[in-house]
Each structure stands twice: as structure tokens, then as C-alpha cells.
Amino acid sequence: MKMMDCVELIVEKDTYAKEGVHKGMQGWICMEECVDGYWLVNFPQCGEKDDIATPAVKEEDLKEIPVMNAIVNERIKEQYGN
């Protein structure tokens, strides 16, 4: 993986959920390097809405995807009532 890659979170963990990020949400890597197995990942919403979060995510908890779609994040966010 590298900076600007689109990724999907493939696990549900309390550490991510505390920041409002849940399994299936999509984001992009916003850091040049992986640090101790973690990437800084931005999980946006559509338009001018604030981003959901930009947590450090374990590389093994991500999968690369060809294109990110922020509407997916908004739908998942609604399911959790965030």
C-alpha cells in the first residue's frame, strides 16, 4: 500500500468504532509511510460534510479497493447512529 491508495476497513474493532469508523467503510491512505504496521487513513463523507475520522489503522485490517465511495461511509454511519 502507499499514500493515496483507496482502502476498505475489513474488521470491526472497538478502537476504530470509538472514532466512528466501522467495518466496510472506505477511505484513503494519507501518510507517506506505514509506521509500526499502521497507516493513517482518512474516512470522508460526501460533499462539504466533516470527515468521519482519520485514525491509524493496522495494515492487516485494510484491503485495497480500486475506487472509494464516501456514500458507503454515510450509509454505514447511519446504521450505527453516529
Side-chain angles (χ1 to χ4, degrees), residues 3-33:
M3 187 168 174
M4 301 298 292
D5 278 352
C6 296
V7 293
E8 180 178 316
L9 186 65
I10 58 172
V11 297
E12 182 71 24
K13 288 187 176 177
D14 288 341
T15 54
Y16 307 139
K18 286 177 185 174
E19 296 194 52
V21 178
H22 301 280
K23 181 179 179 180
M25 286 189 167
Q26 300 178 359
W28 59 280
I29 295 175
C30 57
M31 192 164 94
E32 294 268 343
E33 296 179 14

Side-chain angles (χ1 to χ4, degrees), residues 1-3 5-8 29 32 34 39 58-64:
M1 293 185 191
K2 63 185 179 314
M3 187 168 174
D5 278 352
C6 296
V7 293
E8 180 178 316
I29 295 175
E32 294 268 343
C34 183
W39 289 100
K58 273 192 124 172
E59 185 167 28
E60 65 194 35
D61 295 343
L62 298 168
K63 75 172 183 179
E64 287 185 65

